[in-house]
Every structure is written in C-alpha cells, then in structure tokens.
Amino acid sequence: MKKSYLLLHLAVILAGFTGVFGKLITLNEGLLVWYRLLFSSIILFFIVKLLKIPTDIPFRGKIQISKAGLLLTLHWLLFYASIKYANISIGVVCYCLTSFFTALFKPVLDREKFKLSELLLSTLTIVGISLIFHFDTSYQLGIILGVFSSAFGALYTIYNKRLVSHFDTKIINYYQMIAGTFMLGSIFARISPLF
C-alpha cells in the first residue's frame, strides 16, 4: 500500500512539473509537443526492444491505438497552448475539467447511466473557472484552450481504457507516440518546408 501511495505522489509531482516546464521552455506548444512525442517514441522503442515485447499486432489494432494517440496529441497541444496564452495555474485548473468531461462523455460512449454525483462534483470546477473567466478577460483564450484540452483528455482516457484490456500498455504508448509524432510532423511539414 505504501508503494502505491509513493507512486501516486510521484505521478502528481511529475504532472505538476509538466506545466512548469511547458511555461519555461521557449518553444511554441506545437514544437514542444512534437519533441516530447519524438523522444517518447525513441525511448519506448528501446524499452520495447529491451523487454522483448512483440510489436506485431493486427493492423486494425494499430489504427485504434493511433486514433487514441491523436486524441492525446491534441490534448497535449491545447494544454501547453493554454499555459502559453494564460499561465500555469489556468492550465492546471482547466485540466481538472477532465473529470467533468469524462463523467459527461463516458455514459454516452459506453451507453451507461449518468452518475449524478460525479457530474455534481465536477461542476464545482466549472464554477471556479467561470469566475476567473468573467473577472479576468486577459486569460479567456487560455481558458478556452484549456477547456478543449480537457475534453480531448477525457476522450483519450475513455478510449485508452478500452485498449488496455486488449494490448500491452507499453505497446499502446509506443504506437500512440509514433502516431502523434507523424501527425504533428506532417502538419508542420505542410506549414513550413524548413521543418
């Protein structure tokens, strides 16, 4: 039990520092996410090879994993954009909306009943964000980007949960990082030939 709590606290600390690093790094959010995806792909490649995890999964599985990877890429892009256009606090507060969107989207996608308690608790975050949105107009774009980031984050969480029951998590992450790297890279290649 102590090990689980330690891992949870470590994950929270690392997640918190993501926003700080995102603000400190001078790259725009697009390049920041692309480099993050690229380095993650390379590191996961060596992990998969080192652990001798087979990467030959059905093509349909690769497509499903890649779709979830694109959702994750959009989530990261909008999260870092939220931090860049507002500040770390706004980005992290908007990130908390992921639970609201999960409570909203999951019953629709999985054809389940809505859980009123989850929706009510998540609504408290919306109240807080709406107060900031109305009182300080300089953060409005950052808040809007953060809200969309959370929506994509919730969709990613829901779809990823389905994948975990069929594939090894390392393989899922590996193909998601590759899909995000290629998607973002191809967009940059069209925008700027020098990329």
Side-chain angles (χ1 to χ4, degrees):
M1 194 69 145
K2 285 183 180 180
K3 185 183 176 183
S4 298
Y5 279 123
L6 284 171
L7 288 172
L8 177 65
H9 286 5
L10 180 64
V12 169
I13 289 167
L14 290 174
F17 274 111
T18 298
V20 175
F21 291 136
K23 189 73 174 177
L24 292 175
I25 296 169
T26 55
L27 292 172
N28 67 49
E29 59 278 5
L31 281 174
L32 175 63
V33 172
W34 186 79
Y35 278 118
R36 182 178 180 173
L37 290 163
L38 177 66
F39 290 133
S40 297
S41 299
I42 294 166
I43 291 165
L44 283 165
F45 172 79
F46 287 112
I47 289 171
V48 164
K49 291 294 178 188
L50 190 69
L51 298 175
K52 296 179 181 176
I53 301 169
T55 56
D56 55 336
I57 61 171
F59 181 73
R60 188 176 175 182
K62 288 178 184 175
I63 296 296
Q64 289 173 333
I65 293 170
S66 296
K67 285 179 184 176
L70 299 183
L71 289 172
L72 179 63
T73 302
L74 288 169
H75 163 63
W76 281 351
L77 267 174
L78 293 166
F79 174 70
Y80 286 117
S82 173
I83 288 170
K84 298 279 186 186
Y85 287 100
N87 58 41
I88 299 165
S89 301
I90 296 292
V92 172
V93 167
C94 290
Y95 183 76
C96 295
L97 275 176
T98 305
S99 61
F100 169 75
F101 285 116
T102 303
L104 203 63
F105 296 155
K106 193 174 185 308
V108 174
L109 295 170
D110 292 344
R111 296 175 185 166
E112 299 172 349
K113 286 186 178 181
F114 284 93
K115 292 180 181 174
L116 190 61
S117 60
E118 287 181 7
L119 285 169
L120 288 173
L121 287 170
S122 302
T123 311
L124 294 173
T125 311
I126 294 174
V127 172
I129 290 170
S130 63
L131 287 172
I132 301 168
F133 191 84
H134 288 297
F135 288 122
D136 198 339
T137 54
S138 63
Y139 293 138
Q140 285 185 355
L141 178 59
I143 291 170
I144 291 166
L145 292 167
V147 169
F148 278 103
S149 166
S150 294
F152 282 112
L155 288 170
Y156 167 74
T157 303
I158 294 163
Y159 284 118
N160 211 47
K161 188 178 177 185
R162 295 176 182 178
L163 295 170
V164 169
S165 59
H166 299 290
F167 306 103
D168 185 291
T169 53
K170 293 172 195 71
I171 292 298
I172 293 171
N173 287 327
Y174 175 60
Y175 282 117
Q176 285 175 348
M177 297 304 110
I178 290 172
T181 303
F182 279 108
M183 182 201 77
L184 217 48
S186 62
I187 290 169
F188 288 146
R190 286 181 181 219
I191 294 170
S192 172
L194 296 174
F195 173 75

